[in-house]
Amino acid sequence: MYTSGSTGVPKGVILTHQNMTATMGAFSDSVQISENNEDVFLGFLPLAHVFELLAESVCLLCGVSIGYSTPLTMIDSSSKIKRGTKGDASVLHPTCLTAVPLILDRIYKGVYDKVSKGSPFQKALFEFAFNYKRKWLKRGFSTPLVDRLIFSKTKQLMGGKLRLILTGGAPLSPDTHELIKICLCDTVIQGYGLTETCSCATVMDLHDRSNGRAGNPASVCDIRLIDWDEGNYRVTDKPFPRGEICIGGNNISPGYYKNAEKTKEDFFEDDGKRWFKTGDIGECHADGVFKIIDRKKDLVKLQAGEYVSLGKVESELKTCPVVENICVYGDSNKDYTVALVVPNPAQLQDLATKLGRDDNISFEKLCEDPAMEQSVLQELQKHGKKCKLEKFEVPAAVKLCTEVWSPDMGLVTAAFKLKRKDIQERYQKDINRMYGVS
């Protein structure tokens, strides 16, 4: 299996039969499969993604039916679904699926977009029902009446029978996590893993009612934290130990294919186990649950000395309605960050209408309009404040990109992770402009 290549050239990862069976065992321990073969799995992530490959392998092992879809044909309103016809989920009626945060972020924005277009009464009713269900879910209770009267309609978005979503590949925004649980599927399990760990490291307990955390160590591996002094993360930190996550167990790869130097750098043996240094920064809470809080390669030190976690900022700003996708860039010689934004066409048109722009202006022309850039920037700044980002973390300039970033373009991976270097190279002139460099 190859890594996604989000931080450079993809590396070939050697995975053994033992690695595969260890992860499949962990999946089986963590997820309840229907005993009556009533489950239907919706597969849309590429099988070159080890997370999807092993999830589907468990389905085949347990006799679960699999239906295949794509992000462009999944729901009735998907861009490749002809108006008046049904999306894949409406036809298949899946009960479980694996997803990456970008897809769930799109659903999050879709729900809020639909609510925002309702009447004042409908908005107030949704807000009341949302807060009511959130309160009782946190206490461990279900809300069957509210589900039937209010949320049964939002659940039809994915066919109406969805009972389990397993998400991984990147940290899931707490806001998105909460909304998906309330409006779409009561059980949203967030996990954490890498290709080098055969996609297995942590997984949330089925009864964990918290949001935004990655779960406990999986049943087949151990996790330890080690100090990262440069980022000021230490295992002695209070109230929770923090540091670089290292994972050990039977799920750990023997190493990289024909890359002994990198293998020696990232893997080591200790306590009779093989360990992998992930480069991700985590904190361990009092109940043994881990939260991914940073990534060494995503951390940028600005001119004034502040550290900005690009991945964290992107995770929060992706939930802004006007954002379809975003890549935040930081220059160590500057005191602010900038952002490349793929805007949502409908939301951008709404902003244009508020600015008095003609409805017939094309999407491309709107993206080139400096006033639209400023308007989107203001939306990001308001959303960043709502998400409690620091002022220096929120981009001070944006470039609106007309192209939808897809794996075919080489700007995102097959699992929709950003390929930062490729994006930077493609938009270097725009980055220079935002920083005032000629």
Side-chain angles (χ1 to χ4, degrees):
M1 283 286 180
Y2 280 84
T3 61
S4 62
S6 58
T7 57
V9 178
K11 298 181 288 290
V13 178
I14 302 168
L15 294 177
T16 66
H17 184 74
Q18 182 186 48
N19 298 152
M20 298 279 192
T21 54
T23 293
M24 290 173 67
F27 283 2
S28 300
D29 291 339
S30 305
V31 178
Q32 293 179 344
I33 302 295
S34 170
E35 296 180 359
N36 300 320
N37 290 337
E38 295 175 350
D39 275 320
V40 178
F41 181 86
L42 179 66
F44 68 93
L45 294 177
L47 287 171
H49 195 289
V50 68
F51 176 46
E52 180 74 10
L53 174 67
L54 295 179
E56 291 190 21
S57 297
V58 172
C59 289
L60 294 174
L61 185 68
C62 299
V64 174
S65 301
I66 302 174
Y68 290 97
S69 178
T70 73
L72 301 179
T73 61
M74 187 182 300
I75 59 178
D76 296 352
S77 59
S78 293
S79 59
K80 295 296 183 181
I81 293 295
K82 185 179 179 181
R83 186 182 296 274
T85 59
K86 293 184 177 182
D88 299 333
S90 296
V91 175
L92 188 65
H93 300 292
T95 61
C96 48
L97 63 87
T98 54
V100 291
L102 179 64
I103 301 299
L104 298 182
D105 286 338
R106 287 178 180 174
I107 295 174
Y108 169 96
K109 286 180 282 192
V111 171
Y112 268 115
D113 183 47
K114 192 170 184 178
V115 171
S116 67
K117 293 177 180 177
S119 66
F121 173 76
Q122 289 172 322
K123 292 178 185 177
L125 181 62
F126 177 84
E127 185 176 352
F128 168 79
F130 187 92
N131 291 331
Y132 177 86
K133 184 171 181 178
R134 174 168 56 185
K135 179 180 74 173
W136 288 107
L137 279 181
K138 286 182 178 179
R139 298 179 181 180
F141 294 94
S142 60
T143 55
L145 184 60
V146 169
D147 285 343
R148 184 173 180 180
L149 295 177
I150 306 296
F151 296 115
S152 59
K153 295 179 181 178
T154 58
K155 290 184 178 183
Q156 288 301 321
L157 186 71
M158 291 299 296
K161 294 185 178 180
L162 197 60
R163 69 169 186 85
L164 173 67
I165 297 176
L166 188 62
T167 176
L172 181 64
S173 161
D175 290 340
T176 300
H177 195 168
E178 182 176 65
L179 180 130
I180 297 297
K181 283 203 300 186
I182 290 174
C183 298
L184 199 65
C185 176
D186 287 350
T187 305
V188 181
I189 298 178
Q190 185 172 185
Y192 165 69
L194 305 93
T195 308
E196 292 89 343
T197 68
C198 206
S199 84
C200 180
T202 68
V203 62
M204 287 182 68
D205 186 86
L206 281 170
H207 305 291
D208 186 349
R209 296 188 291 274
S210 63
N211 299 315
R213 303 196 297 171
N216 305 87
S219 57
V220 297
C221 64
D222 294 326
I223 294 180
R224 63 171 64 165
L225 299 177
I226 59 175
D227 292 344
W228 185 41
D229 293 329
E230 184 182 346
N232 203 29
Y233 294 113
R234 298 179 178 85
V235 295
T236 54
D237 288 346
K238 303 294 182 182
F240 305 119
R242 303 187 299 175
E244 181 181 0
I245 296 173
C246 293
I247 303 164
N250 290 334
N251 57 314
I252 304 302
S253 162
Y256 297 116
Y257 182 64
K258 293 185 178 180
N259 195 340
E261 184 178 345
K262 188 64 176 171
T263 297
K264 187 176 180 180
E265 180 183 337
D266 291 347
F267 295 85
F268 65 96
E269 301 280 343
D270 191 32
D271 292 336
K273 288 184 179 179
R274 187 158 184 79
W275 294 80
F276 174 68
K277 294 183 282 187
T278 65
D280 292 321
I281 306 301
E283 66 180 19
C284 183
H285 293 178
D287 56 358
V289 173
F290 284 82
K291 182 177 182 180
I292 312 303
I293 58 174
D294 216 333
R295 182 165 174 78
K296 290 170 74 172
K297 292 180 181 178
D298 284 351
L299 203 65
V300 174
K301 186 178 183 180
L302 299 181
Q303 190 179 46
E306 304 102 334
Y307 282 97
V308 177
S309 172
L310 303 180
K312 169 196 163 188
V313 174
E314 289 161 354
S315 176
E316 296 291 357
L317 295 184
K318 276 179 183 176
T319 59
C320 180
V322 76
V323 175
E324 192 74 16
N325 210 339
I326 184 170
C327 179
V328 179
Y329 178 81
D331 188 331
S332 298
N333 296 315
K334 304 293 181 181
D335 59 1
Y336 62 93
T337 62
V338 298
L340 299 161
V341 176
V342 179
N344 179 284
Q347 293 290 335
L348 191 67
Q349 186 60 58
D350 288 344
L351 286 179
T353 301
K354 291 178 182 178
L355 290 177
R357 297 295 188 270
D358 194 316
D359 290 343
N360 296 322
I361 298 178
S362 67
F363 175 71
E364 289 74 16
K365 290 291 184 183
L366 288 177
C367 289
E368 295 170 0
D369 188 340
M372 293 305 302
E373 285 187 346
Q374 190 62 31
S375 182
V376 170
L377 178 61
Q378 290 172 359
E379 292 295 315
L380 287 181
Q381 290 171 340
K382 285 192 291 185
H383 193 77
K385 188 175 182 180
K386 175 186 171 185
C387 295
K388 298 181 180 179
L389 293 176
E390 298 290 345
K391 188 175 181 180
F392 63 82
E393 292 179 309
V394 180
V398 299
K399 156 67 180 173
L400 302 183
C401 305
T402 58
E403 305 160 309
V404 177
W405 298 341
S406 66
D408 293 338
M409 291 179 63
L411 300 182
V412 295
T413 70
F416 297 97
K417 292 181 182 178
L418 299 177
K419 300 178 80 169
R420 294 190 185 279
K421 289 186 178 179
D422 295 297
I423 292 174
Q424 181 184 344
E425 289 175 5
R426 189 180 188 93
Y427 295 102
Q428 189 62 60
K429 288 184 179 179
D430 296 300
I431 292 172
N432 291 343
R433 175 182 62 81
M434 288 187 282
Y435 276 127
V437 178
S438 57

